[in-house]
Amino acid sequence: MSVVAGISTPRGTGGLAVIRISGEGCIDIARRVFKPSGSTEIADMKGYTCCYGFVRDEENKIIDDCILTVFRAPHSYTGEDTVEISCHGGVYVSEKILRAVIACGAESAGAGEFTKRAFLNGKLDLTRAEAVMDVISANSEAELHMAENLRTGAVFGRVRECSEIIRELLASVAVWIDYPDEDMSDITPDSALEKLGEVRTKLEDLSANYDTGRILREGVSTAVVGKPNVGKSTLFNCLSGFDRSIVTEIAGTTRDVIEESVRLGNIVLRLADTAGIHQTDEIVEKIGVEHAQRLIDSSELVIAVFDGSCPCTADDFELVERIKNRKCVAVVNKNDREQLFDTEVLTKNNILTVYLSAKEKDGIDRLGKAVESVLGVSPETFSETAVNERQKRCIDRALECVREAESAIKAGEMFDVVNVLIDDAEQSLLELTGERVTEAVVNEVFSKFCVGK
Ligand code: GDP
């Protein structure tokens, strides 16, 4: 593979910038742009060693004084010889050094090029390569934890377990096909069904974890609904950490239309249309019910706010009717005041209820726990292996084949028919791990990466 070079640090001003050069021949290129200050000969440098010196341009003028680190194949991130030049962290200086490196024969690295090379050189399977990107883009402890799980090969390991069972099955089926008249194969419909059932359960578990991952990565679309003046805006401000809207004593006078994400514990709530939080009386009258209903229907999670300091009204009963079959949490707000709200309607409908005071910011942590519980996301599930969308597609394809194979056996089909289906399942799993994958898939995976990684 050719030598590629790219700036691995973010574009901007900082303490350091790193220019990474990878591929056979990168040491030669480094020798041409970098002159050690002492007697060090770059070609003789061992892996994991560095030296101080100067990068010069084509006219032999010093661009910057830098540290050069050498990594020797296969003990580098990409698995190839690699050189990293750490220079002063300026946009101009780092780009000038990159240009000098390219002028000496390196090609400019594409998005994710270094990680792609690591994959192509067998340093990472595809799931671990994808995890590198997840680690970079992690926004919370839980996301980072999941990405680390992926990076340490948890998904790969579990997919491998399925592959091994499938391969055993395929081997038995092959013997059965090759020697149809003899009793060479130990396979029976029952034993095949047992193995397929095992694979199916494992794949179903993995597929189910997708939702946890998705919720943690992307957040959950949330509708905050309730009558005017129950404290929706106050709760919203409390979650977002600062005042975003006008909170008034007069019902329905908060007028801002805000679309925003707020973090609640481990989960990001995407408040898709906060106009619902800030309805005016006028809007309530005109489109209130319809609007709230649309908001409820289009959201994954509903937080219904009630005023604990007022008795229950017909509107509250109606709201409960609307939300009771949804993923919802009831907030009985203003628990710093005397409580007059009869919560029987909530308990009767098995709605998870949190008593809090948005104004006093008291009980928000309980709301976080309730939301996690309703969404089925708990600290324990973070240690699970959450799969991404591409991986889920592969898993679901494999699952479909396994289910079809089970049906075929139950319908009395011969193993040669079943064989094709099991083999298709195996192909999908190989695509997941990247062991057998088309160039197009690889390119798609790495196109989401940043340049320099
Ligand atoms: P919204 O119309 O549902 O958005 O309600 P607001 O957030 O505008 O709140 C209406 C009124 O209730 C304001 O005067 C708030 O200060 C008050 N309020 C909100 N939450 C609480 C609370 O927890 N305790 C008390 N005592 N008052 C609250």
Side-chain angles (χ1 to χ4, degrees), residues 224-237 245-254 276-279 305 307 309 332-339 356-362:
V224 180
V225 290
K227 289 185 303 191
N229 219 29
V230 292
K232 298 182 296 298
S233 305
T234 312
L235 178 66
F236 178 72
N237 289 340
S245 56
I246 319 146
V247 181
T248 65
E249 285 293 343
I250 308 153
T253 47
T254 45
I277 302 178
H278 309 290
Q279 292 162 349
V305 186
D307 187 340
S309 68
V332 176
N333 189 31
K334 309 194 188 181
N335 80 342
D336 53 303
R337 283 192 184 160
E338 189 193 344
Q339 296 297 283
L356 55 79
S357 167
K359 195 173 176 182
E360 305 292 331
K361 299 184 172 47
D362 177 39

Side-chain angles (χ1 to χ4, degrees), residues 104-151:
C104 287
E107 285 169 25
S108 183
E113 177 98 32
F114 296 106
T115 310
K116 183 170 166 181
R117 286 179 172 225
F119 165 69
L120 294 174
N121 290 322
K123 298 283 285 189
L124 303 163
D125 71 89
L126 210 49
T127 65
R128 286 185 180 92
E130 288 170 309
V132 170
M133 203 59 221
D134 290 347
V135 169
I136 293 174
S137 51
N139 278 318
S140 70
E141 196 54 38
E143 268 179 82
L144 182 62
H145 193 80
M146 276 191 341
E148 281 299 341
N149 266 334
L150 202 58
R151 206 158 70 87

